[in-house]
Amino acid sequence: MDTLLLKLPGVSARKISDLDAFFVNDKMFACISGNGVGLRVPASTASELQFSRSNVVPFQPGGMASSREWIQIDRADAADYEQDLELFRASLEFVKGARTR
């Protein structure tokens, strides 16, 4: 994931608890959890992806439910996440433009 995400402008990586996380403007937009990658997207996009793709599920790190803006993409081969590059870019832009609560 580092190879894929760290080449995007403004992205940094660090570890938070047990998660390898990726940030833009000091806000997390993606992280590696279990067998997949958690990704923050608009709630409407999250719902659409969960219904349209069999490899997208609600993000539940450690079995705990998260916000409706988080999904998890599960792929058997890490190299296949390259196919989700546009989704990672969209997440980065969404989080970069999000206001802090």
Side-chain angles (χ1 to χ4, degrees):
M1 289 310 304
D2 285 358
T3 306
L4 180 64
L5 296 180
L6 291 177
K7 69 182 177 185
L8 298 175
V11 173
S12 62
R14 64 180 183 258
K15 199 161 190 74
I16 292 194
S17 299
D18 292 332
L19 299 175
D20 290 310
F22 299 89
F23 294 80
V24 63
N25 291 352
D26 215 27
K27 293 182 262 186
M28 185 169 68
F29 76 95
C31 63
I32 299 170
S33 177
N35 296 327
V37 175
L39 192 63
R40 185 174 173 207
V41 295
S44 59
T45 302
S47 294
E48 178 185 316
L49 289 168
Q50 289 174 52
F51 285 108
S52 65
R53 288 181 46 178
S54 61
N55 68 336
V56 174
V57 296
F59 182 57
Q60 298 179 326
M64 303 295 292
S66 65
S67 92
R68 295 179 342 178
E69 292 181 339
W70 281 89
I71 57 169
Q72 180 166 316
I73 304 169
D74 295 318
R75 293 201 176 267
D77 184 346
D80 291 340
Y81 285 106
E82 183 81 37
Q83 299 170 33
D84 301 306
L85 185 57
E86 285 309 309
L87 193 53
F88 287 116
R89 283 189 177 122
S91 171
L92 182 148
E93 291 303 319
F94 172 66
V95 171
K96 194 160 72 170
R99 296 179 195 202
T100 7
R101 298 177 194 180

